[in-house]
Each structure stands twice: as C-alpha cells, then as structure tokens.
C-alpha cells in the first residue's frame, strides 16, 4: 500500500520533534497504523535556519499555502501556532478535504466550534491531542477511556512553563525572569510567554478539557484567568509552613447551576500527588462518577514529548482514513447535536476556600474588626496565623485560611478590610482547594 503523505506546517520545536519521532520510529509506527507514514512536504518561515531535525527527502517551502494545496498531501499537521495564519491554513486544508492534526490550543479553544463544524461538513478529522498537557494522552483518556462516566470535576497543572518557573523559584530561590528565559531557551514557552505566565495558555487548554468532559461548546471567552506573576516568595513560604503548595491550576467543576472554568494560583495540601508535580511536568486529575478520581502525569511541553501526541493523532487518523465519518469518535467526545447548553458560571458565583495575607497594625481591636467583617459576610475562618513583625515596620503579616465561600462574598469582605485604617496595602488572596 502507498505510504500516507503528511504535509507539515512548521519545523520549530514541535515540528522538528515530529519529524524526528516519525523518522526514528517509522517501522514501529507503520506496524501500528497499518501503513507507512511519510512527511512529503513541509513549510517554515526561514528555510536557512538551523533545525533540530533532518529534512532530507522532504520538499520544503516558506509558503504554507503550497502545502495545504498540495494534492498529494492527505493529512495536514499544523504546528505554526497562533490563530491567524494557522486558522487560515487549517480551514483551507479542511476545504480541500484533508484531515488535520494540530497542537494549537489557542486555535481550538477560540475557533474550534467553527473548525469542527467545517470538518464535519467535509467528513474530515481534526485531531488535537497535543494541544493539552503536551505528551499526556489526556484528550483520548477523557473522550474515550472515561466515556462511561459523568465527569464531575477536573483540575490540572496544564502549563509546563508556569510549573517550571514555580518549581525553580520554590526549590532553588531563582528569580522569575531568569527561569522564564530558560523555559524559552528550552522551547517550552509560547511565542508570547505572557500566555504562559498569565494563565491564558492554561485557560485555552482548560476550555478544551471542559468541552470534552461535559459535552459543551468551547467557550474560552468565559474562562476566568489569573496568572502567577503576583505570587511572592513569602506566600510560597507561608503556604509551606501551613502544609500547602502553591500550584497554577486549571479547575473545572460541574455544579447544578453551571460549569466552573477557572485558572489561578491555588493552595493544595502538600500530601496530594499533584502538589508534587514539578518542573515542566503536567498532571491532570479527573473525577468521574463511576471510576472515581484518576490522575494523568507526564511532560507538558518540549519537542519530542509533544511530538509523541502529534504522532499518536496521525496514527489515529491513518487508521480511520477509510472509516465512515459517521462512525468516528466525535471531535468533542459527544455527538455534535447532543452538546449541552449548561452555562459557564461567572467567577463571582464560584465557591472556594481562601488563603489571605494582609498587613495590619499590631494593636488591640484590629483583629476583631477583621473577623467581624468575615462574620458579617458569613465567612468562616479555618486558621489565623500572625507572623513576626518585620524590622522597622509597624504592620505585621497576618494569614487567614477560610472555609469555602462564594467569591462574591469574599470580594466584598476584602474591599471592606482594605478600607480599614489599620490595614496597609492590598489583601493578597490565593484560592485554596483540597482536591479530595
Ligand atoms: P515554534 O515557534 O518553535 O515553531 C513554529 C514554526 O512555525 C516554525 O518552524 C516557524 O518557522 C513556523 N512559522 C511561524 N510563522 C510562520 C509563517 N508566517 N509562515 C511560515 N511558517 C511560519 O513553535 P512550537 O513548535 O513551540 O509550537 C508550535 C505549536 O505547538 C503552537 O501552537 C504551540 O502552542 C504548540 N505547542 C507547543 C509545545 C511546546 O512544547 N513548544 C507543546 C504543546 C503545544 P521558522 O522556524 O522558520 O521560524
Ligand atoms: N507553552 C506551553 C507550556 C507549551 O509551557 O505548557 C505546551 O502546551
């Protein structure tokens, strides 16, 4: 049988990794797919750039349009990134009747609904395993492995760069900017690294996970996003003293009123496995009603780890090339006409516990004023710790851990506490989840 011909858009970190894995494991991959797979045509912006892969035997161009218009190409693998040129190329490929594999979470989270509709019309597949959690086969696990469950919640460390930064800061006391630069050198970070550190990349991924978990359309614009740039070394140390770790989590929960969709730094008990996921590693916890809690762990970024997911998608597409489109696994796990309209909850309606750090004058009555506000807002306190007074400062850091309460009540309480004369500056807030 003729080999299946791949058109590859992008020869950077993931594109280069994909070429290497497909070449090195060609025989093993062909045994699985039932056919040989070759990259026949590839594009990159600058053809003179040194590559991490050997492109011998691949027709090269700096115009990705030539690849998606190539009649020999059956599967287009989009590894350019972004949501402009990549979007145009994916839509052209679909219009040309080609299957698509992509690692582009921004594209799927923002334009996935339209892309899948177009693909369904054309009877082609769009596979995106590498878009979430790098090499971890989390899409397949939720979409197929957990298909018998009603998914209740999921929570994950789904940005490798952010976790790498937090780990290096905590373990080695390294500066934020220095670790970010290293993550960029290693090829982990997005083209615009603010996507990593502000939680936008994690929100793209969480949007995709929630859609396949609950069978709702992709709604990235409704995700709540908070980054890691405001986390201080003091908060990391105080959290540890209390038995918690700070992780940047994407959390989604099905509630009777709607779906939570939120990315923010989170205190989690240090005894949880996910609290010990470090460096570029990712982990996703998924709770199904039948299976209980399940945990998926692996490299969240990097050339070959991500290529592993890209190649798995290519093999899946090759295996189903001849199958009737109606009998394929649906793009978002649920049949397209069976998507639910359960709303995404506004952050104000989300309920979590909190870690709060504030700086208060060390004098009688101040603590009573603060706890009085909590009492009036119906917020129960789990623990209060007063730290040592820093030299030359009249204010002392006080840490509160609260029980679960709606974000709306906490916003009002924080506003009232910050308005007290005895309080210096803003109240630092980090949400806390037990993930039990
Ligand atoms: P890179 O920047 O390393 O690679 C992008 C590739 O696209 C390069 O080969 C670049 O060409 C090419 N390209 C960019 N713009 C153009 C253009 N205008 N015309 C033609 N070619 C262009 O990115 P990554 O490999 O890191 O990421 C690719 C995708 O994979 C992104 O969607 C990313 O979010 C996703 N991803 C990345 C992971 C990672 O660990 N890096 C992990 C999981 C997903 P040239 O090389 O000549 O500049
Ligand atoms: N920039 C992303 C990360 C790449 O660091 O997780 C993997 O999606």
């Amino acid at each position: 049988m003729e080999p299946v011909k791949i058109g590859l858009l992008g020869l950077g970190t993931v594109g280069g990794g994909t070429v290497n894995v497909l070449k090195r494991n060609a025989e093993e991959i062909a045994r699985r797919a039932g056919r040989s797979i070759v990259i026949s045509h590839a594009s990159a912006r600058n053809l003179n750039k040194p590559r991490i892969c050997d492109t011998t035997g691949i027709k090269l161009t700096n115009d990705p349009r030539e690849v998606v218009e190539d009649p020999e190409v059956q599967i287009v693998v989009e590894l350019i990134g972004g949501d402009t040129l990549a979007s145009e190329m994916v839509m052209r490929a679909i219009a040309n009747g080609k299957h698509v594999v992509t690692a582009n979470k921004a594209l799927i989270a923002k334009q996935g609904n339209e892309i899948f509709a177009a693909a369904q019309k054309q009877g082609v597949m769009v596979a995106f395993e590498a878009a979430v959690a790098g090499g971890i086969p989390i899409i397949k696990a939720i979409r197929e492995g957990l298909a018998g469950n009603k998914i209740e919640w999921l929570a994950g460390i789904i940005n490798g760069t952010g976790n790498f930064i937090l780990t290096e800061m905590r373990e080695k006391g390294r500066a934020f900017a220095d670790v970010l630069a290293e993550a960029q050198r290693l090829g982990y970070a997005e083209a615009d690294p603010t996507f990593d550190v502000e939680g936008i990349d994690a929100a793209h991924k969480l949007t995709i996970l929630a859609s396949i978990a609950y069978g709702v359309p992709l709604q990235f614009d409704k995700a709540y996003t908070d980054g890691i740039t405001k986390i201080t070394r003091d908060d990391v140390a105080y959290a540890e003293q209390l038995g918690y770790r700070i992780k940047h989590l994407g959390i989604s929960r099905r509630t009777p009123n709607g779906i939570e969709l939120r990315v923010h730094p989170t205190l989690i008990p240090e005894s949880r496995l996910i609290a010990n996921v470090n460096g570029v590693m990712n982990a996703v916890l998924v709770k199904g009603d039948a299976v209980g809690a399940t945990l998926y762990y692996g490299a969240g970024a990097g050339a070959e780890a991500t290529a592993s997911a890209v190649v798995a998608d290519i093999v899946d597409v090759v295996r189903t090339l001849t199958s009737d489109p109606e009998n394929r696994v649906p793009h978002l796990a649920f049949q397209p006409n069976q998507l639910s309209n359960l709303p995404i909850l506004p952050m104000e309606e989300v309920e979590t516990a909190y870690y709060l750090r504030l700086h208060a004058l060390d004098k009688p009555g101040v603590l009573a004023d603060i706890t009085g506000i909590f009492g009036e807002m119906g917020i129960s306190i789990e623990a209060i710790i007063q730290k040592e007074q820093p030299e030359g400062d009249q204010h002392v850091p006080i840490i509160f851990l609260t029980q679960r309460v709606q974000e709306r009540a906490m916003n009002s309480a924080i506003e009232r506490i910050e308005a007290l004369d005895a309080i210096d500056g803003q109240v630092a807030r980090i949400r806390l989840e037990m993930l039990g």
Side-chain angles (χ1 to χ4, degrees):
M1 213 187 285
E2 275 277 290
V4 176
K5 302 226 169 77
I6 306 289
L8 182 61
L9 310 181
L11 284 166
T13 303
V14 185
T18 300
V19 173
N20 286 337
V21 172
L22 271 176
K23 281 199 173 173
R24 189 173 70 237
N25 297 340
E27 215 178 291
E28 202 77 344
I29 289 166
R31 283 174 63 213
R32 289 197 171 98
R35 284 174 76 174
S36 301
I37 297 170
V38 295
I39 298 172
S40 59
H41 206 163
S43 70
R45 194 168 25 196
N46 174 0
L47 296 181
N48 298 318
K49 215 174 182 175
R51 300 282 161 202
I52 60 168
C53 60
D54 175 7
T55 55
T56 311
I58 304 174
K59 186 172 163 193
L60 296 177
T61 171
N62 60 9
D63 183 1
R65 289 164 192 86
E66 285 180 16
V67 178
V68 296
E69 301 299 341
D70 181 340
E72 288 217 311
V73 165
Q74 288 166 277
I75 303 171
V76 168
V77 178
E78 184 279 304
L79 300 172
I80 296 174
D83 53 13
T84 47
L85 178 64
S87 165
E88 186 194 331
M89 292 306 102
V90 164
M91 292 308 265
R92 271 313 297 161
I94 292 171
N96 289 341
K98 299 180 195 304
H99 302 279
V100 172
V101 171
T102 179
N104 192 334
K105 48 276 163 132
L107 181 67
I108 296 297
K110 290 164 75 179
Q111 299 176 32
N113 298 323
E114 297 77 32
I115 290 172
F116 297 144
Q120 214 200 332
K121 229 166 146 187
Q122 285 292 95
V124 297
M125 293 178 67
V126 177
F128 50 94
E129 181 64 70
V132 183
I136 307 175
I138 186 66
I139 302 287
K140 204 171 188 70
I142 299 178
R143 191 165 57 188
E144 296 170 48
L146 300 181
N149 287 262
K150 184 165 183 182
I151 307 291
E152 295 172 358
W153 57 264
L154 55 89
I157 296 170
I158 44 180
N159 183 270
T161 302
N163 202 41
F164 181 63
I165 293 172
L166 287 181
T167 305
E168 292 287 305
M169 282 173 71
R170 187 178 69 82
E171 290 183 353
K172 300 181 190 155
R174 291 178 64 192
F176 188 101
D178 172 36
V179 192
L180 174 58
E182 189 181 347
Q184 289 181 287
R185 269 197 310 279
L186 292 168
Y188 302 156
E190 294 303 299
D192 176 355
T194 55
F195 277 43
D196 296 288
V197 297
E198 294 300 350
I200 300 161
D201 177 72
H204 288 147
K205 294 165 176 166
L206 185 69
T207 300
I208 297 171
L209 289 179
S211 282
I212 59 167
Y214 314 119
V216 294
L218 296 147
Q219 296 165 82
F220 167 69
D221 54 333
K222 297 197 181 126
Y224 172 84
T225 306
D226 191 7
I228 56 171
T229 50
K230 289 179 288 222
I231 297 175
T232 66
R233 280 184 207 193
D234 283 348
D235 290 325
V236 173
Y238 296 156
E240 293 227 17
Q241 289 162 20
L242 290 160
Y244 293 88
R245 291 268 165 83
I246 300 177
K247 289 291 179 189
H248 200 200
L249 292 190
I251 300 174
S252 180
R253 196 183 303 270
R254 192 204 296 256
T255 78
N257 302 326
I259 291 167
E260 295 178 7
L261 201 57
R262 50 192 169 104
V263 173
H264 50 71
T266 313
L267 260 75
I268 43 179
E270 66 185 2
S271 56
R272 297 276 180 266
L273 282 174
I274 196 166
N276 297 285
V277 170
N278 292 318
V280 74
M281 304 311 273
N282 280 192
V284 186
L285 261 167
V286 185
K287 171 79 172 19
D289 67 336
V291 69
T294 56
L295 179 66
Y296 309 84
Y297 170 85
E304 291 212 358
T306 311
S308 162
V310 171
V311 174
D313 271 349
I314 295 174
V315 171
D316 253 3
V317 173
V318 171
R319 283 176 177 148
T320 53
L321 274 180
T322 50
S323 76
D324 176 357
E326 302 304 313
N327 296 329
R328 292 178 189 150
V329 181
H331 292 111
L332 287 177
F334 292 72
Q335 297 300 333
N337 60 355
Q338 294 293 320
L339 294 188
S340 136
N341 57 7
L342 205 57
I344 305 295
L345 285 180
M347 194 58 193
E348 289 224 308
E349 288 176 32
V350 167
E351 208 177 83
T352 67
Y354 290 84
Y355 157 102
L356 303 175
R357 175 176 47 79
L358 47 88
H359 290 251
L361 277 182
D362 192 9
K363 64 172 195 185
V366 172
L367 211 51
D369 288 344
I370 299 168
T371 53
I373 293 173
F374 284 140
E376 283 164 32
M377 301 305 303
I379 300 171
S380 301
I381 297 164
E382 184 78 28
I384 307 177
I385 296 157
Q386 183 168 325
K387 308 305 288 187
E388 265 174 41
Q389 193 164 0
E391 242 185 66
D393 191 344
Q394 289 180 307
H395 298 88
V396 284
I398 306 179
I399 314 299
F400 289 88
L401 298 187
T402 77
Q403 291 189 353
R404 293 179 78 81
V405 60
Q406 256 202 359
E407 180 104 352
R408 178 177 287 120
M410 185 52 81
N411 289 345
S412 306
I414 289 178
E415 201 179 310
R416 288 179 60 188
I417 291 168
E418 285 176 346
L420 294 174
D421 287 341
I423 301 298
D424 182 36
Q426 289 187 320
V427 176
R429 156 219 327 237
I430 306 180
R431 297 166 187 91
L432 186 156
E433 292 283 348
M434 298 309 285
L435 301 182

